[in-house]
Structures are given as C-alpha cells and as structure tokens.
C-alpha cells in the first residue's frame, strides 16, 4: 500500500479532485477546494485502501497507519496552534466517512471529537461560553456512544427529555402534554443552561458505564482511533448495504475517512451552518439554492429538527425574507455566492456544498457533484451545454438514462376534482397515490402484498431506507428541501413532500390541521393507516384520496436532449407494442417502428376469446377454420389500426407464440358458456383441456411448432396482416409489414412457414389487385437458432433476438420461476445483476454474436434487432451497440431511455460518427 494519509490545509493539498477512488468524493473535494484557495478547515483523509486493509485484517488498522495519523495530527496542531488533548488550546476534530460515490446519511459522522471534562472547561474559557462548550461535549458523548460504543440513542432520550423539561419549567413553558419532538421544538438545545447540561453530561456518562461496563474514554487519541474504526465499520452497516445494492455501488470500493479541524456554527448569532446547491436539485433551474440555520451545528440542517431558512432573500417567493442568510449575514452570503459560482465553473457540474460560518467567517466543509432528480439532470445538462460549460456530447453522457424514467411518468391531472389536504415543500417531483403507512417495515410489508403505499413520517432517518424504497411516495411533517427524506427520495426518483407542518404524526395516525381560504384554522382531520392519499411532489401538495393523473410529454430541455441524442446514435430504437394505442404512445416517445407486435394479446379481448377457444377445441380442421374465419376481421382491424399509427415505419408482427392451453377456459362458468355456444359437452371440453395440458409448456407445443401441426392459424394471421396492409396502402398510407416467426431453430421450420406466408400473400394480392412489399424473418430465441443462424438466414430476411427466451433457454432457468431464487443468486454474487433484466453478456451475448456472424455470413446485410426486455436496459444496449445490431425494441415508456442509452453507447464505442443503422 502506498501512502495512507493525504493532508490538506493552508492552500496546499496532497490530493486532488481526480483521486475520488482513493480519497472518496468528500476527501477529493476538500483537497481540490483547498488547492483553489477556498476557505476549508485543514485536515487529512485516510484512504479507501486503508478501509479495505482494515477489513482484510479482521477489522484492525494496518501497521504504521496509527503513526501516520499521529504525524498528520501533529501537522494540524502546528498549523492551528492548538493541540489534541490540550485544555488550554484544544484541537477538536470531526471524523466523517466519504465514499467514492456519495451515499447521503448512510454512514457515520462524529463531531467535536477531542473533548473530556477538563478540555471542555478549557474550551469554555477559550470561547467565553460555558453553555457552548458543554453543549458540544454532550453532543459528542451522545454521538460517540451511539456510533462507536454501540449504546442505542434511545437510552439517552429520557435524560435529555428531563433536561428539557427542567428548562421548560425554568422558562415557564407548560410541557406536560408535549411529546419528545414537540418538546424539542419548544425547548431547543440553545435553551438548555450550563447547569442542566452539566447534569446531562454526567447522566450520559453513567449510561455509557452501565451499558458498556467501562467509563467513557477520556483520552482524545483513544477517541480518535475508535471513531476512525467506526467510520470504516459503517461501510458495512445495514443501511449502507441496502443503499449500495440499490445504486450498484460495489462493496470493494470501501470508504475513506476524513479528519478535519472543527469549526463551529453554534457560537452565537454571528454563526450558522447550511447546505447549498449551485442549481436547484429538484427542477434544475439555474439559481443558487439552499438552506441554513443560525447558531446551529453540522447535522442540524439535515436532521430536520428545526425548519431551516432560505439562503437568498427572494428564495421563498417574497422579495425580502428577513430570515435569509443574505439578510442576516450579507458579507458571508456574498462570499458564499462567489465561491459557489467558482466551484461550479471549476468542476463544470452542479455542486452540493456544506458550509459553516463561525463568527462571520465562512468555511466550506464539503463540495461534491450534487444529486438531482431526473428532471433537474436533463435541464442542467442542456443548459450547461448552451452556456458553453460542457459540450453536447458531455451533456448526453451526463444524464443517467435510468433517472429520466421519472420524467416519463404521469403527473396530477390539473382538471380533475381533488381535495387538498395540506401543503408542504416540493421535495421530489412526480405524482404518487397510495395507502398511508407509518413505518418503514409496514411499507415494506404492504408493498410486498402488491399494495401502493405512501410512507408518512415526522422525518425519515437512514433506518427507513427499505421502507422508502418500497413506497410510491414519502410525506414528512418536518425537515426542509435538504432533509434526509428529500435527498433520498430525489435519488430514488420518488415523489416526496417534506416539511408539511400542518400534519402531525403520532400513535399510528396522522392529524391534519385544516385551514380555510383565508388561512384561518378550520378544524382537524384524522388520516389512518390504509387510507388513500395522493402526493404531488412537484408542487408540495397532499390530496385526500386518489387523484387522476395525465401522461408525461417530451418537451423543453428533454426534447432538446433527445434531438442531440438522436444525432449521435447509430442504433435505431423501436418499440414493442400490441395495440394502436400503444403504438401511438411509442411513436410519441420517438419510436422508429414496432420491433415486436405480440398478436396473442389481441386474442384475449372479450369478443374474441370465445372464437379462439372454439378454434382450439374444434375436433377437426374444418371446425378450426370456421372459428378462425370469425377471428380474421378482428385481427385485420387490429393491424389496420397499428399500420395507420406507424405510417411510414416498419412494423414487425409476430405470429402466434404461446402454448394454446393459455387461452382455455379456466373456471366452471367459462366452460359451461363455451359448451353452450359450441354445442359440445362439458365433459368433452374438459377432456380436451387435459389433452392440451403440458408438463413444461415453455418448452412445449408453442411458437412455430403450432404452425407445423395447425398451419391454418398462421394462414389466418398472414392473411389478416396482408389484407390490412393492402387496405392501408390503398388509402395512401405507407406500410412496411414484417412477418416474424417465433421459436424457430431449423431451416425447415422456416421453409414451411415461409412457403405458407408466400402462398397466402399471392392469394391476397390477387384478390386485392395490388402488391405490398413485406419482409419475412424470425426470432432467435433458442441456442440452436444461434448455432444454425447460417441456415436460418437462407430463409429469413431479418433476425430479432428474443433475449427473454434466449436467456431462459441458454441458462436453463425458467423465466416464470426465477423470481424465487434469482435474488439470492445476485446477492451471493453468482450474477452481478438479474440476467432477465440486464443481458448476460458473456453467455447469452456470445450467442447473439454467433447468430450475428453466422447469419450475416450467409446473408450479407441481414437486418438484426432485439426485442426482449433487454432492449430497454441501458447496459444491455451498450452491448447491442458494440455487437453492431441494427435496432433495439422496448416497451413504449422506455423508448426515450433507449434513445439516450443508445447515444451514450455510440459515444462510448466511438461509433457515433458512423452511418445510422438501416431500418
Ligand atoms: C423474447 O423471448 O425475448 C420475446 C421477446 O418474446 P416473449 O417475451 O413474448 O416470449
Ligand atoms: Mg419469446
């Protein structure tokens, strides 16, 4: 291992912004800011390599690191003229985690480290404030006991409550009916007097002794070592693990640990602390945005106990917010504005900053690329490209295709009747309806039963992460735009309304204070677990009941980004769509054709299913043909609708694929009904049902195998497609039908079905007196189809890889049953990701490449597409680009994601300047 520690301070730093892997995002940002001459309290970063070595050695710091830490502390001491452990000139430090990717609130932080009784007295003398020194000390004991010594916070709550109640009595506040949260609001830390604090500190130490059997550690070096190990240890706490899994952060990265001289935002009214974003993280608007609290320390803003104030005078809508930092500390505010602009220019991206003002002097404590909603990501990328800060290519690469999913989802229908329950902060955009739940566990449980839930809390904490993940939306009564709930919800792309002070949550219900149009209190309403509410995270409004929503549209910056993406991508993007309605949605989202129209979905319609069943159960070919004749006009009508919607674009229609028994009547009533219409006894029908049952239908009588035994089904479908094509062409609409055979694996299967289609085509063209061009092709869904692709290409003019079935048949894992155990496979590292969502490149990908090579060798220019679920998955799309396919096809709502992912893939593969694939 190279060096373990990177120092920063007084304008110089050992590391820089490029070393995120080694120093973590926070450490790299602190080093870079120091280099830029921005005021940063000095300190040092212990590398992520040390964290990994700590784990490798069984949770002990590697040899030599402790000496390096001592040396770095020595450097810090001489720089600041203070000493760790000295009562006369005490050095206090913060110890904070910081991984390569930001994981807000997931790991641990300890502030005010370096205090004991004697040093606290020294600090009181030095700062002239006994109250301040004792408050810092009692906060330190609490955090250290919880994080390092493992004494649960709850054990300290009674003692703190007692101290608050004593203070309340002294201040004449009636505290008898207040719960802990209300009491904290009425009697904040700043109102606890030195005597109560001293008593509280003693009680906290007694609790530590009782819980651990040892006194609270007095030696600052012992404290420091404990804190460093705890920060490394927090890399593997439960919530960090859940977060890593959700965001695909590898365990092997480890966290760095930052030790930094403390500055204090709670030294009086000329001090404060806050967080800021260089642009609005919710909307992406270019405005300096953030929150602060006067006379407060570090985590107070994010903890959401006190509702923070805006930074700028005009931020809250009125032009003169007297609580703003701009109004209260104009000098520090002006410097902060200048620093944030510099940092954004330097890093060429939106930054998330933490700052503290100690007695009017500004310090930056953190600077990192800010988390943002999908909407904000798009706006920021496009505007930065227009401002000339980044190139268009960079703008395309900046937006995570997965994150734009949020933009494609519905928003509240402005015209729908609705009852406003309350208003809070618009913390994370999007509409969400669900049943109210009051705990993360309950959210997870109900979501597991398929229910949509809204998690309602006073304030979320990192322990709630699993519930937030399970919920559709999150509502909190406290906390600001940078509270835990807001930050995490934005990262997850979930709707969130935060700081909704009209609600109060306790004992399994939420009480909402109602106001009339003039803002006067007009009573209360109780919402219980299971009641439906709707959140509009874009406006911060909470509605009672379910409110209708309207679909998303691609306009503004999003539309522009898509145009830029389209200009660089090579892959074409089609959509899987079975109905004219889906086809229209897909086209609106920019689909360049239909890559898969699954005709079986058309069979389930109430009017048709009877005829389908009749066809399946008919005793002979004549009976089957009679039933198919009933289906023909329906199918033709479907195809006319789809061709019209996709005028001028290719439409790939797959002939019937699933095993026939899927269409059979399942219950008594359906059987009786069918027996009446067909004039066949119920017993006979049941017998036929049994005859068709298969042990393994996925590998049974399905796909083109149906056409070998009952060619009349495909004949009817081919006729419906070609008649529809002639009809639409006759109306002057350009049609491009592609007829696709599922589940083939031999040349002979394709030769038979192709002859069938050609025969029907000639009949239809003769009857209609016109010809339309069509293509004949096949899906590649079986390993044998890839292996024999050379022969299949003799018959097929195009291949479409059905990677759902190809994954199933290559891995030998049933796509219907995999859910039960694939989670464990991913967890134990057998697969990095679920292979049904993200293509198994080494395995299934190799078969795609084999199919491509053998197919194109037999038929140069053979058109190649993919229509399995992987067609909408960004990392799979990157592979399809490298593999040189012509198009991907995905569900309508994923089309924009695929367009962006295809552009990114082309930029990464260097193929963006090449010709566009053929359609
Ligand atoms: C596939 O197998 O990938 C495919 C697209 O077909 P289906 O999902 O209908 O089996
Ligand atoms: Mg399939």
């Amino acid at each position: 291992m190279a060096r373990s520690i990177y120092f920063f301070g007084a304008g110089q730093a050992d590391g820089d912004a490029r070393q995120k892997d080694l120093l973590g995002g926070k450490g790299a940002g602190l080093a870079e800011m120091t280099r830029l001459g921005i005021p940063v309290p000095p300190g040092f970063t212990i590398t992520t390599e040390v964290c990994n070595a700590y784990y490798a050695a069984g949770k002990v710091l590697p040899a030599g690191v402790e000496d390096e830490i001592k040396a770095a502390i020595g450097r810090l001491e001489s720089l600041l003229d203070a000493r760790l452990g000295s009562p006369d000139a005490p050095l206090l430090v913060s110890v904070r985690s910081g991984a390569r990717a930001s994981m807000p609130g997931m790991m641990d932080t300890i502030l005010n480290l370096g205090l004991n009784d004697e040093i606290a007295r020294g600090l009181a003398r030095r700062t002239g404030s006994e109250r301040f020194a004792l408050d810092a000390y009692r906060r330190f004991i609490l955090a250290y006991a919880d994080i390092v010594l493992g004494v649960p916070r709850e054990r300290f709550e009674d003692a703190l409550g007692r101290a608050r109640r004593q203070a309340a009595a002294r201040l004449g506040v009636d505290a008898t009916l207040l719960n802990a949260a209300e009491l904290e609001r009425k009697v904040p830390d700043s109102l606890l007097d030195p005597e109560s604090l001293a008593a509280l500190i003693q009680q906290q130490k007694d609790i530590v002794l009782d819980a651990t059997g040892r006194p609270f550690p007095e030696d600052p070096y012992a404290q420091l070592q404990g804190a460093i190990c705890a920060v490394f240890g927090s890399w593997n706490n439960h919530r960090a693990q859940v977060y890593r899994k959700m965001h695909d952060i590898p365990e092997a990265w480890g966290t760095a640990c930052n030790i930094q001289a403390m500055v204090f935002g709670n030294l009086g009214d000329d001090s404060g602390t806050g967080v800021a974003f260089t642009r609005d993280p919710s909307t992406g608007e270019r405005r300096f945005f953030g929150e602060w609290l006067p006379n407060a320390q570090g985590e107070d803003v994010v903890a959401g106990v006190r509702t923070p104030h805006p930074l700028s005078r005009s931020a809250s809508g009125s032009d003169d917010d007297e609580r703003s930092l701009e109004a209260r500390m104009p000098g520090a505010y002006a410097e902060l504005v200048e620093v944030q602009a510099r940092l954004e220019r330097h890093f060429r991206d939106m930054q998330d900053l933490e700052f503290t003002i100690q007695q009017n002097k500004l310090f930056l404590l953190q600077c990192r690329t800010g988390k943002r909603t999908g909407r904000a990501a798009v706006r920021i990328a496009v505007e930065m490209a227009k401002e000339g800060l980044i190139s268009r290519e960079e703008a395309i690469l900046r937006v995570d295709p997965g994150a734009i999913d949020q933009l494609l989802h519905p928003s509240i229908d402005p015209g729908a009747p609705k009852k406003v329950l309350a208003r809070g902060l618009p913390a994370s955009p999007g509409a969400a309806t669900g049943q109210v739940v009051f705990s993360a566990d309950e959210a997870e449980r109900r979501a597991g039963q398929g229910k949509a839930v809204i998690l309602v809390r006073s304030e979320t904490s990192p322990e709630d992460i699993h519930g937030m993940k399970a919920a559709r939306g999150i509502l909190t009564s406290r906390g600001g735009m940078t509270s835990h709930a807001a930050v995490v919800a934005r990262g997850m792309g979930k709707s969130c309304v935060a700081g909704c002070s009209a609600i109060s949550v306790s004992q399994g219900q939420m009480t909402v204070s109602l106001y009339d149009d003039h803002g006067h209190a007009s009573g209360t309403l109780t919402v219980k677990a299971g009641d439906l509410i709707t959140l509009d995270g874009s406006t911060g409004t909470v509605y009672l009941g379910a409110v209708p929503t309207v679909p998303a549209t691609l306009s503004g910056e999003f539309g522009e980004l898509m145009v830029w993406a389209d200009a660089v991508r090579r892959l074409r993007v089609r959509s899987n769509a079975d109905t004219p309605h889906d086809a229209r949605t897909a086209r609106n989202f920019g689909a360049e054709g239909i890559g898969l129209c699954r005709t079986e979905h058309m069979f389930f319609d109430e009017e048709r299913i009877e005829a389908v069943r009749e066809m399946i159960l008919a005793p002979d070919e004549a009976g089957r043909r009679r039933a198919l004749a009933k289906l023909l006009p329906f199918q033709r009508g479907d195809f006319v609708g789809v061709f019209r919607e996709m005028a001028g674009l290719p439409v790939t229609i797959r002939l019937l694929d699933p095993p026939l028994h899927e269409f059979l009547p399942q219950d008594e009533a359906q059987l009786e009904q069918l027996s009446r219409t067909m004039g066949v006894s119920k017993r006979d029908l049941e017998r036929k049902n049994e005859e068709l049952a298969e042990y393994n239908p996925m590998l049974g009588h399905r796909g083109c195998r149906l056409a070998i035994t009952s060619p009349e089904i495909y004949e009817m479908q081919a006729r419906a497609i070609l008649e529809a094509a002639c009809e639409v062409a006759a109306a002057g609409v350009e049609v491009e039908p592609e007829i696709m055979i599922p589940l083939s694996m031999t040349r002979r299967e394709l030769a038979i079905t192709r002859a069938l289609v050609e025969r029907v085509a000639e009949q239809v063209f003769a009857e209609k007196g016109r010809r339309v061009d069509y293509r004949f092709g096949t899906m590649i869904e079986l390993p044998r189809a890839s292996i024999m692709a050379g022969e299949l290409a003799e018959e097929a003019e195009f291949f479409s890889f059905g990677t759902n079935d190809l994954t199933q048949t290559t891995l030998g894992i049933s796509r219907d049953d995999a859910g039960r155990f694939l989670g464990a496979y991913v967890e134990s590292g057998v697969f990095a990701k679920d292979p049904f969502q993200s293509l198994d490149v080494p395995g299934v990908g190799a078969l795609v490449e084999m199919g491509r090579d053998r197919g194109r060798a037999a038929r140069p220019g053979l058109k190649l597409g993919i229509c399995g679920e992987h067609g909408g998955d960004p990392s799979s799309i990157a592979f399809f680009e490298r593999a040189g396919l012509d198009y991907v096809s995905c569900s309508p709502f994923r089309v924009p994601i695929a367009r962006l992912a295809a552009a990114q893939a082309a930029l990464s593969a260097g193929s963006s300047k090449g010709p566009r694939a053929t359609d």
Side-chain angles (χ1 to χ4, degrees), residues 596 598 654 657 702 779 781 802-805 815 867-868:
L596 175 62
R598 291 176 165 106
R654 178 178 75 186
D657 180 45
R702 58 169 286 215
M779 297 195 67
E781 296 174 283
T803 48
N804 301 334
D805 272 314
R815 55 197 269 197
C867 62

Side-chain angles (χ1 to χ4, degrees), residues 485-632:
V487 171
V488 174
R490 282 199 293 270
M492 289 181 180
K494 302 227 164 172
S495 170
C496 175
V497 175
C500 184
S501 52
I503 66 169
S504 76
V505 184
S506 77
Q507 290 166 352
Q509 63 180 38
M510 136 176 144
T511 308
V512 188
S513 306
L514 302 173
Y515 297 89
D516 64 18
D517 291 345
H518 308 288
H520 301 309
S522 64
T524 59
L525 186 135
T526 304
V527 176
K528 293 187 296 304
D531 291 351
L532 273 184
I533 60 168
T534 298
L535 304 183
D536 183 353
S538 311
T539 61
T541 316
V542 185
Y543 300 98
L544 192 62
V547 180
T549 53
V550 289
T553 49
L554 303 190
S555 55
E557 288 87 14
F558 189 58
E560 257 175 290
L561 187 73
M562 283 293 131
V563 172
W564 298 352
D566 289 348
V568 298
R569 77 183 150 89
R570 184 197 63 83
L571 270 172
R572 299 233 167 220
V573 176
R574 296 196 193 181
S575 182
N576 296 356
D578 308 333
T579 63
H581 175 266
D582 286 356
R584 179 176 312 164
T585 309
R587 196 165 189 166
N588 287 341
F589 280 139
E592 296 167 293
I594 288 182
L596 175 62
C597 174
R598 291 176 165 106
T599 47
E600 60 270 18
H601 292 170
M602 298 167 165
F603 284 7
F604 281 103
D605 229 66
E606 221 180 301
E607 304 168 286
R608 309 166 186 198
I609 188 74
E610 281 260 314
V612 175
R613 288 173 178 159
E614 238 181 280
M615 182 265 294
I616 297 167
L617 297 170
D620 51 24
E621 189 187 326
R624 277 200 296 276
R625 285 197 183 275
R626 263 198 308 279
L628 285 166
K630 290 188 198 169
L631 281 172
L632 176 68

Side-chain angles (χ1 to χ4, degrees), residues 42-262:
F44 56 92
T45 304
I46 309 178
T47 66
T48 52
E49 283 179 357
V50 176
C51 175
N52 288 335
Y54 168 83
Y55 278 108
K59 298 199 183 176
V60 281
L61 288 175
V65 170
E66 276 175 47
D67 290 340
E68 282 191 63
I69 292 171
K70 281 207 173 108
I73 290 282
R75 246 176 111 179
L76 206 51
E77 288 172 338
S78 45
L79 203 66
L80 294 169
D81 209 9
R83 280 198 32 235
L84 191 66
S86 154
D88 299 327
L91 169 67
L92 301 190
V93 294
S94 63
V95 182
R96 310 175 81 183
S97 58
R100 197 187 298 191
S102 106
M103 298 169 56
M106 294 303 125
M107 291 181 293
D108 292 329
T109 285
I110 293 177
L111 305 178
N112 308 328
L113 186 140
L115 283 168
N116 56 28
D117 290 353
E118 200 191 345
I119 298 169
R121 279 194 292 277
L123 183 67
R125 277 195 304 278
R126 239 178 122 87
T127 56
S129 171
E130 189 182 6
R131 204 209 65 76
F132 159 76
L134 292 176
D135 188 47
Y137 189 22
R138 73 107 195 146
R139 284 173 184 244
F140 166 59
I141 296 174
L142 184 65
Y144 196 92
D146 173 21
I147 294 165
V148 183
L149 306 176
V151 186
R153 257 173 202 266
E154 297 78 62
R155 290 205 56 177
F156 297 92
E157 260 162 25
D158 282 350
L160 186 56
R162 265 197 308 279
R164 286 197 207 283
R165 282 180 202 281
Q166 279 162 9
R170 189 168 37 80
L171 297 164
V173 173
D174 179 8
T176 34
L177 293 175
L178 301 181
N179 66 24
E182 289 159 343
L183 185 63
E184 187 172 355
R185 250 183 288 178
K186 285 254 158 61
V187 187
D189 295 354
S190 55
L191 294 184
L192 298 176
D193 61 346
E195 291 72 42
S196 326
L197 286 167
L200 180 57
I201 286 166
Q202 193 48 53
Q203 286 165 20
Q204 288 184 334
K205 287 205 218 162
D206 291 345
I207 293 169
V208 169
L209 182 62
D210 181 55
T212 65
R214 290 195 204 170
F216 188 81
E218 295 274 319
D219 171 18
Y221 269 104
Q223 293 173 356
L224 184 60
Q225 199 204 20
I228 292 168
C229 293
V231 161
F232 285 153
S234 70
W235 176 248
N236 267 337
N237 69 30
H238 176 64
R239 56 185 201 251
Q241 288 183 10
V242 173
Y243 189 92
R244 280 209 296 274
K245 212 169 284 163
M246 260 171 68
H247 294 270
D248 282 337
I249 297 174
E251 191 191 327
W253 282 2
T255 181
C257 178
N258 298 290
I259 289 120
Q260 197 174 13
M262 283 297 301

Side-chain angles (χ1 to χ4, degrees), residues 443-484:
E444 196 174 53
R445 198 180 63 74
R446 286 206 198 198
Q449 297 165 347
K451 304 249 167 47
V453 298
I454 305 284
L455 178 62
V456 181
R457 309 277 288 154
S458 300
E459 170 57 37
T460 61
S461 78
E463 270 80 30
D464 292 324
I465 191 101
H466 60 292
M468 299 174 77
K469 191 174 156 196
R472 294 278 170 93
I474 296 131
L475 169 64
T476 68
S477 58
R478 296 208 307 255
M481 293 291 283
T482 49
S483 63
H484 177 267

